[in-house]
């Protein structure tokens, strides 16, 4: 498919999509399609292999046939390679609510010699987020699309350093007042927690309203995430400008100062 998919995303009724199943299938992971999908309230989960693609078809072909799951721009090829999700409710972290925890905050003040940076090594953060993880949803095609969004100023990373060693990080895509946090990693305990807290600080200073953490879990709740009804999330997402220049940088924060 081509970047014409950006027009097709407007046809997906995200608010009426299944709460716990894909909202759509579409194979276009180019940067224009990715950005349009994030702006529509969707994020991608590529099938890492043919078996996963077949499972998507086996699980969801009935809902595709009835129109409950959209296939925007489908012109004949197998549509099940990439699923696009918009869970309901959506776990989000509001400004000032990202949690370090008292013990970690004390260690950062007294013992840990860590520093953070923004957009210093986006490609490496994305690679580390995908290293050794199953399922391997961060495919090469998706990584290329994300890298292009980063070069355009839409996708951002925060890195956590111990000296010259990259020990943690997180990355996501900005869509108006929301930054959709795609993934995080750590090489030392708590480094990903620091990355998320620092990213939240930076995004708030840059005028952002929410970190969207996509998938709910006890770990995500421990970072300060709380569920938000999908319709409320979509309303907030649409409250920002639908287009315009990207954010070329996130402002520095004082979390580790």
């Amino acid at each position: 498919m081509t970047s014409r998919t950006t027009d097709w995303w407007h046809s997906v009724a995200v608010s009426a999509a299944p709460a716990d199943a894909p909202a759509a299938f579409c194979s276009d992971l180019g940067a224009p399609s990715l950005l349009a999908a994030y702006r529509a309230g969707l994020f991608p989960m590529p099938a890492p292999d043919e078996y996963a693609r077949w499972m998507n078809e086996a699980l969801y072909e009935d809902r595709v046939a009835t129109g409950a799951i959209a296939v925007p721009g489908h012109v004949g090829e197998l549509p099940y390679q990439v699923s696009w999700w918009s869970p309901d409710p959506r776990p989000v972290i509001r400004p000032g609510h990202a949690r370090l925890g008292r013990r970690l905050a004390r260690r950062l003040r007294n013992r840990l010699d860590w520093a953070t940076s923004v957009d210093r090594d986006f490609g490496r953060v994305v690679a580390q987020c995908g290293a050794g993880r199953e399922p391997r949803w961060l495919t090469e095609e998706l990584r290329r699309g994300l890298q292009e969004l980063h070069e355009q100023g839409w996708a951002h990373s925060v890195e956590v350093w111990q000296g010259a060693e990259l020990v943690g990080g997180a990355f996501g895509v900005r869509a108006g007042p929301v930054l959709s946090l795609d993934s995080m990693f750590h090489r030392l305990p708590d480094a990903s927690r620091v990355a998320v807290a620092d990213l939240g600080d930076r995004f708030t200073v840059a005028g952002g309203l929410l970190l969207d953490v996509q998938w709910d879990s006890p770990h995500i709740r421990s970072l300060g995430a709380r569920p938000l009804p999908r319709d409320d999330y979509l309303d907030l997402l649409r409250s920002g400008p639908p287009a315009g220049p990207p954010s070329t940088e996130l402002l520095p924060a004082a979390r580790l100062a």
Side-chain angles (χ1 to χ4, degrees):
M1 292 187 184
T2 71
S3 61
R4 288 187 301 136
T5 314
T6 58
D7 298 324
W8 294 326
W9 285 124
H10 298 300
S11 70
V12 179
V14 178
S15 62
D20 57 354
F25 286 101
C26 176
S27 62
D28 187 353
L29 288 170
S33 176
L34 282 172
L35 186 58
Y38 280 102
R39 286 172 170 169
L42 300 157
F43 58 87
M45 292 293 294
D49 51 38
E50 185 62 21
Y51 176 77
R53 191 213 62 80
W54 177 85
M55 284 297 297
N56 280 340
E57 183 173 2
L59 289 171
Y60 301 118
E61 62 178 339
D62 289 346
R63 294 203 228 184
V64 168
T66 64
I69 296 177
V71 187
H74 177 45
V75 291
E77 77 274 25
L78 294 174
Y80 296 98
Q81 189 63 38
V82 184
S83 57
W84 299 79
W85 292 76
S86 184
D88 188 14
R90 197 73 165 244
V92 301
I93 301 176
R94 296 186 181 275
H97 285 71
R99 293 179 180 170
L100 283 177
R102 293 180 180 177
R103 181 182 61 84
L104 177 57
R106 186 167 54 249
R107 291 172 61 215
L108 288 169
R109 287 194 302 268
N110 298 332
R111 293 194 299 275
L112 288 178
D113 184 22
W114 287 359
T116 61
S117 61
V118 62
D119 290 338
R120 177 173 164 185
D121 205 338
F122 180 87
R124 190 174 169 197
V125 169
V126 174
Q128 289 295 311
C129 284
R133 292 189 178 178
E134 297 292 340
R136 300 182 306 279
W137 64 273
L138 267 171
T139 60
E140 286 299 320
E141 186 178 6
L142 177 55
R143 286 169 61 176
R144 286 195 297 270
L146 290 167
Q147 181 65 38
E148 186 173 346
L149 287 182
H150 172 64
E151 291 168 1
Q152 294 171 359
W154 298 112
H156 300 283
S157 64
V158 161
E159 301 84 22
V160 181
W161 304 91
Q162 181 169 275
E165 181 184 2
L166 181 64
V167 297
F171 77 91
V173 176
R174 181 169 188 171
V178 172
L179 193 145
S180 193
L181 183 62
D182 284 297
S183 193
M184 64 190 85
F185 83 96
H186 66 272
R187 291 289 171 263
L188 292 177
D190 292 321
S192 60
R193 181 180 294 272
V194 169
V196 172
D198 193 64
L199 181 58
D201 280 356
R202 294 176 188 272
F203 190 49
T204 300
V205 173
L209 298 182
L210 282 182
L211 284 185
D212 161 31
V213 285
Q214 299 183 350
W215 298 110
D216 203 0
S217 70
H219 175 64
I220 288 300
R221 295 289 185 101
S222 77
L223 296 177
R226 292 295 180 265
L228 182 69
R230 180 171 60 195
D231 283 346
D232 292 347
Y233 172 81
L234 294 174
D235 286 345
L236 188 146
L237 183 64
R238 294 162 183 157
S239 70
S247 301
T248 55
E249 64 179 12
L250 296 181
L251 299 179
R255 174 73 73 164
L256 297 184

